[in-house]
Amino acid sequence: MNDYKTLLNSNIKKLRKEFNLSRDEFAEKVGVSTDTICNLENNRYAPKPETIDKICSAYNVQYFELLAPEKFSDKKDIISFINLKLNTLNENDLNKLSDIIDIFKKYY
């Protein structure tokens, strides 16, 4: 499975292409330089949180959508991906997430 930087940058490029925009057009709408978009798409560095926020706002996407793999090949990959994310959370956030999962299970 790809690391977060690679996955995030790949999904940013995919988003730009979905809107059929040049790097210049995409960068202008986001409010960053074309060089920034070029560097992200070429996986030279991970975007700053502010850049991610700008992209999400400009293109009406959620942060988690930029981190989602295109598709998982099996249940093991899904669990592995979720575990990577869970390992970054503190105890308080894990408790909140547990509550959210309970609500989700109840209504979906």
Side-chain angles (χ1 to χ4, degrees), residues 89-99:
L89 300 177
N90 63 37
E91 188 175 334
N92 187 44
D93 289 339
L94 286 169
N95 284 323
K96 289 177 188 175
L97 182 58
S98 178
D99 292 343

Side-chain angles (χ1 to χ4, degrees), residues 37-100:
I37 299 303
C38 182
N39 286 328
L40 294 176
E41 289 187 0
N42 288 308
N43 208 36
R44 291 190 183 110
Y45 59 81
K48 295 177 181 176
E50 306 84 50
T51 303
I52 296 170
D53 289 343
K54 289 178 182 180
I55 291 169
C56 289
S57 178
Y59 293 96
N60 197 30
V61 295
Q62 298 296 317
Y63 179 74
F64 69 86
E65 293 176 85
L66 292 178
L67 278 174
E70 194 166 317
K71 59 182 171 180
F72 294 105
S73 57
D74 60 25
K75 184 177 178 177
K76 183 178 175 183
D77 285 345
I78 295 169
I79 292 169
S80 180
F81 183 74
I82 291 170
N83 279 331
L84 282 173
K85 290 183 173 189
L86 291 174
N87 285 326
T88 67
L89 300 177
N90 63 37
E91 188 175 334
N92 187 44
D93 289 339
L94 286 169
N95 284 323
K96 289 177 188 175
L97 182 58
S98 178
D99 292 343
I100 291 168

